[in-house]
Amino acid sequence: MHLLGITVALGLLGGIWAQLNVLRPECDSPEAEEAALVAQDYLNAQHTHGYKYALNRIEEIKIYTVPDGSNTHVLEIELLETDCHVLDPTPVANCTVRPKHLTAIEGDCDVVLKKVAGLLTVTAFKCKTEESREAVCLGCPTLLPLNHTQGLNFVQASLTKLNNMTHNLTYALLEVGRMSTQVVAGGRRYITEFVIVEASCANDTCVPLNDTTAARGICTSEGINDPSVNCKMFSTMMPIVDANTTGAALPPQVHVHLGSVSHKHGFGHHKLTAHHNPHTSGYLSAESAESAEVVPVAPALTIPAAEPASASPPAGDSSSDASASMEVPITVVKREAPIVASASAAKKDHVAPVQVCPGRIRFF
């Protein structure tokens, strides 16, 4: 019985190790790029408000391989907000990333993709979206919360002016994209972006059309008192094909909000969809998701030999330092690929070469 039990245990252990074959390609490899672009397009398809996001950097990639060939890709990617609204059929590759001085919006996402028969499919993700914290310049426009009263009043005034300039067609407000303000000579200047939709009017009462044939567009307005309004209408051509995808994709469904357009939250931007099956995937634990989203995560990120502070820890922290040293191989592979110590350790243990990650920065 003992021999049978040991044989079964060894068989199970061997099966587990056979399934835990992890590949770490370079973050700028074609395989990583392909998975990252599939993730980018999927996340944009789930994003029903605000603007599309473009891939800025691949921070890490792991590929879990199994004998049947259905590999699992686990990615950490950084995205940046563009000036293309989610209803805009313009491919993400042709959209302009919003520059820093206009308050860039960053999205950090962990994404799990399954590859079966050569086709990549997103099965889970977790994202965090936030404004860039880098100070750009004094006097630059400051982003306003989407429920800012004066900003919303300026949007309404802009819409009224637009409808006064149009003939035989009236537009209603579908969504406020962003609002910012800047102090200039003469007062406070407002800069707004908002989405409009064709409305049906009868007896001075207008109702937004909530169907796919209704005209939609995005408007920008700016000014102190009298707004200057410019609008760009979206194409209604279907289907929409993105240059970074292999097939056709339908635009996200943005529902018309009747009544007040004021947002309940006080954020100055539309957040990416926060998550989808992050825990059931088995690859996105709460800890791993947080480590990708929050910068000051664990002291493991400050362990590399290049950091003088880590080289000489204070007395009394021997236990914590020992536990931290156990995390060095994982952390170094993940975040600090070029470290010499990690490379020598990899060579000594006869494992795959240290992966080159994170990858290149596409914008800033």
Side-chain angles (χ1 to χ4, degrees):
M1 290 297 293
H2 275 298
L3 181 60
L4 178 61
I6 293 173
T7 304
V8 171
L10 289 176
L12 291 174
L13 184 61
I16 292 173
W17 278 107
Q19 294 176 7
L20 293 180
N21 187 17
V22 183
L23 303 179
R24 298 174 182 270
E26 295 183 10
C27 279
D28 289 330
S29 64
E31 191 169 16
E33 185 92 6
E34 178 191 12
L37 290 178
V38 170
Q40 166 199 267
D41 294 336
Y42 182 87
L43 292 171
N44 279 326
Q46 309 307 306
H47 192 37
T48 58
H49 297 278
Y51 302 87
K52 297 179 181 180
Y53 282 74
L55 176 66
N56 185 46
R57 194 181 203 186
I58 303 171
E59 297 183 338
E60 184 189 12
I61 177 171
K62 297 178 183 177
I63 303 177
Y64 296 85
T65 64
V66 291
D68 65 1
S70 56
N71 301 335
T72 299
H73 294 57
V74 181
L75 291 172
E76 290 184 19
I77 58 176
E78 180 185 84
L79 306 166
L80 292 175
E81 184 188 70
T82 71
D83 60 2
C84 290
H85 192 267
V86 293
L87 290 180
D88 190 339
T90 302
V92 178
N94 297 338
C95 296
T96 302
V97 167
R98 208 175 293 276
K100 287 186 179 181
H101 73 275
L102 295 180
T103 309
I105 307 299
E106 302 173 356
D108 291 311
C109 298
D110 293 352
V111 188
V112 178
L113 305 95
K114 196 83 169 178
K115 189 169 189 178
V116 180
L119 182 63
L120 282 164
T121 305
V122 174
T123 59
F125 67 84
K126 189 167 187 177
C127 294
K128 181 177 181 180
T129 317
E130 60 185 0
E131 299 175 15
S132 173
R133 300 301 180 187
E134 295 185 32
V136 180
C137 66
L138 294 176
C140 288
T142 303
L143 205 60
L144 294 174
L146 293 173
N147 60 1
H148 191 272
T149 303
Q150 286 76 23
L152 291 175
N153 290 340
F154 190 83
V155 170
Q156 292 287 3
S158 303
L159 180 64
T160 300
K161 183 172 183 178
L162 171 67
N163 283 327
N164 289 337
M165 295 187 300
T166 58
H167 302 284
N168 302 322
L169 191 61
T170 302
Y171 294 104
L173 185 61
L174 178 60
E175 177 179 280
V176 176
R178 61 161 38 203
M179 302 184 294
S180 57
T181 185
Q182 183 179 29
V183 177
V184 297
R188 185 174 295 276
R189 173 173 168 258
Y190 288 96
I191 308 165
T192 68
E193 298 177 15
F194 55 96
V195 180
I196 56 174
V197 60
E198 183 181 352
S200 175
C201 299
N203 300 325
D204 296 329
T205 301
C206 295
V207 178
L209 296 179
N210 195 14
D211 62 72
T212 57
T213 62
R216 291 176 171 85
I218 188 167
C219 300
T220 59
S221 67
E222 57 182 72
I224 299 176
N225 295 313
D226 183 24
S228 171
V229 186
N230 291 286
C231 298
K232 167 192 167 186
M233 303 310 294
F234 300 140
S235 169
T236 56
M237 293 177 62
M238 301 289 285
I240 300 169
V241 178
D242 196 305
N244 291 326
T245 61
T246 56
L250 297 179
Q253 295 297 316
V254 178
H255 300 286
V256 175
H257 299 281
L258 302 178
S260 173
V261 297
S262 177
H263 293 261
K264 294 181 180 180
H265 62 75
F267 298 109
H269 60 277
H270 293 278
K271 291 178 173 289
L272 283 165
T273 302
H275 56 81
H276 171 68
N277 291 337
H279 303 293
T280 58
S281 70
Y283 293 94
L284 297 182
S285 64
E287 290 78 9
S288 65
E290 289 177 2
S291 68
E293 295 171 356
V294 184
V295 175
V297 194
L301 292 181
T302 62
I303 285 176
E307 295 291 339
S310 303
S312 45
D317 287 344
S318 58
S319 61
S320 62
D321 185 60
S323 63
S325 64
M326 295 173 64
E327 299 176 3
V328 170
I330 299 176
T331 304
V332 168
V333 170
K334 176 179 178 183
R335 294 290 187 185
E336 303 290 342
I339 294 179
V340 176
S342 299
S344 60
K347 184 176 181 181
K348 179 180 178 181
D349 296 337
H350 304 289
V351 298
V354 177
Q355 95 182 119
V356 181
C357 281
R360 64 185 175 90
I361 297 174
R362 290 158 176 77
F363 301 101
F364 51 80

